[in-house]
Amino acid sequence: MSDPVRVFDGHNDALLRLWRDDRPATQAFAVESPGHITLPRARAGGFGGGFFAMFALDPQVGLDFAIFDNPPYDTPLPPQMSRDVAWRVIMGQAQVAQELDQAGQVWMCKTGAELRRAWNAGDPMAMVLHLEGAECIGPDLAELDTLFDLGLRSIGPVWSRPTVFAHGVPFRYPSDGDTGPGLTAAGRALVRACVARGMVVDCSHMTMKGFYDVADEGAALVATHSNAHAVSPSARNLTDDQLRAIGQTGGMAGLNFGTVFLRPDGRRNAAGALDHAIAHLDRMIDMAGEDHVGLGSDFDGAPMPEGLDSAADLPNLVQRMRDAGYGDQLIAKLCHENWLRFLERTLP
Ligand SMILES: [Zn+2]
């Protein structure tokens, strides 16, 4: 059997999972399971790296996936989270990232050139450190340079929760992302600061107004883990106009494998969910262009489709692409080359 096509992925929550695990992170990462991304599963499936998110999990407010069993649904946005609590949670996950890097299980990449070196070396997997929800940063952005020095190179100003910077979309189906206000003045300053440092600004959980505000501040439009609204009308997915804007600004959209964002009916049901992946990719490519679409698995953060139960199953998605008539060149672009080129252009 030939080696699997290698994947550079737009989004996963492995750091959150490892931070919550009682075992040392390097130990939990090295065993087969549980977890969508572990070293053995990554090797088996060709998972060669990606954006690794740090997420400010609010100990007070959980998200109950059972809501996704009964569309239509509309979950109220959770309250804003305290900066102090968020900072402790994020520093815990930054520590996990450092431990994996120091143990040689990942290669934390801080420049585009370093990322290409890591990718070409092949092992360990490449990590670009991402912040999903900027609750740990104050409106004066004082924490930004500390985070940058820790290796952070990508920020989503919001998860599906308000921050001092922007407003997230609720988990609402059916709906488009026009669910609330855009960037605040502090949010515009944060985007400009990211652009100045060569950091990625991720709009995946942001309202439609916020999304266009990000472009106004000069950033390439990126949605690391969002799908085509025309196929699955979730507030987390991107309208045709948003996808076109991503292409026009030289940005990227990453295919989210989460069943609730893949399925046209918005349900959690894993059976048959993978059947819709190609329809999303087709639409995303038609609207954004084939150089502006990649993968954004949401591994370790979302319910996965049958047949794509972990990183070990990535070849099943590649096979769907082949079955749909995608050629080797397009498959390479979607699986890694577009993200790598984008990051080479963006990171300092
Ligand atoms: Zn997310």
Side-chain angles (χ1 to χ4, degrees):
M1 212 181 78
S2 59
D3 288 339
V5 174
R6 294 176 70 211
V7 167
F8 186 90
D9 180 41
H11 185 91
N12 74 68
D13 292 296
L15 294 176
L16 174 67
R17 177 175 64 78
L18 295 169
W19 173 73
R20 298 175 85 182
D21 196 301
D22 291 333
R23 294 167 292 180
T26 52
Q27 188 187 325
F29 198 47
V31 296
E32 175 77 25
S33 69
H36 295 151
I37 300 177
T38 63
L39 287 178
R41 287 178 161 175
R43 287 200 183 104
F47 182 95
F51 291 77
F52 283 68
M54 301 186 289
F55 174 67
L57 187 78
D58 190 335
Q60 312 296 324
V61 189
L63 173 65
D64 181 4
F65 281 177
I67 60 150
F68 298 115
D69 293 335
N70 292 299
Y73 45 80
D74 184 10
T75 54
L77 287 177
Q80 208 165 313
M81 195 177 163
S82 113
R83 174 149 46 107
D84 291 346
V85 173
W87 183 257
R88 280 197 295 277
V89 171
I90 294 304
M91 285 304 106
Q93 291 168 53
Q95 173 72 31
V96 168
Q98 302 269 347
E99 287 171 14
L100 301 186
D101 184 54
Q102 278 160 17
Q105 293 180 329
V106 304
W107 180 340
M108 195 195 291
C109 300
K110 297 175 183 171
T111 67
E114 187 182 13
L115 174 60
R116 185 59 79 170
R117 276 201 305 282
W119 182 258
N120 290 342
D123 193 37
M125 68 174 78
M127 166 189 281
V128 172
L129 194 58
H130 172 73
L131 180 65
E132 183 168 40
E135 282 84 355
C136 68
I137 302 175
D140 61 0
L141 311 183
E143 294 82 1
L144 187 58
D145 284 322
T146 303
L147 291 162
F148 187 89
D149 290 345
L150 287 169
L152 188 74
R153 291 296 182 271
S154 173
I155 295 183
V158 277
W159 181 67
S160 289
R161 184 167 57 196
T163 67
V164 295
F165 303 112
H167 296 264
V169 289
F171 293 96
R172 184 185 293 175
Y173 175 98
S175 172
D176 62 22
D178 193 11
T179 60
L183 294 179
T184 63
R188 289 180 180 274
L190 175 62
V191 172
R192 287 196 297 272
C194 287
V195 171
R197 287 166 177 74
M199 299 174 84
V200 178
V201 179
D202 179 18
C203 300
S204 254
H205 285 262
M206 204 178 280
T207 60
M208 190 182 289
K209 286 193 179 69
F211 175 92
Y212 288 110
D213 289 346
V214 166
D216 283 348
E217 298 303 332
L221 286 168
V222 172
T224 57
H225 57 305
S226 295
N227 295 341
H229 186 269
V231 179
S232 174
S234 159
R236 279 276 286 101
N237 288 340
L238 301 157
T239 62
D240 288 351
D241 283 345
Q242 286 179 295
L243 285 165
R244 274 190 285 262
I246 283 172
Q248 284 157 5
T249 61
M252 283 290 294
L255 177 76
N256 189 320
F257 305 166
T259 55
V260 300
F261 309 120
L262 279 178
R263 296 179 62 93
D265 64 10
R267 289 182 184 271
R268 175 167 61 158
N269 187 3
L274 191 53
D275 295 346
H276 307 288
I278 297 299
H280 283 283
L281 286 174
D282 281 346
R283 190 74 173 206
M284 291 159 81
I285 291 167
D286 280 353
M287 295 299 144
E290 70 173 50
D291 295 335
H292 303 284
V293 179
L295 304 180
S297 68
D298 223 345
F299 277 143
D300 287 317
M304 288 292 129
E306 212 171 85
L308 193 46
D309 295 295
S310 79
D313 291 335
L314 283 166
N316 292 341
L317 176 61
V318 174
Q319 189 57 47
R320 299 278 181 140
M321 296 182 194
R322 290 196 202 291
D323 293 346
Y326 291 15
D328 287 344
Q329 206 183 357
L330 178 58
I331 290 174
K333 282 185 180 184
L334 299 173
C335 287
H336 56 261
E337 202 50 42
N338 286 344
W339 270 128
L340 294 174
R341 288 214 184 108
F342 169 76
L343 288 165
E344 283 177 309
R345 287 197 301 274
T346 306
L347 300 185

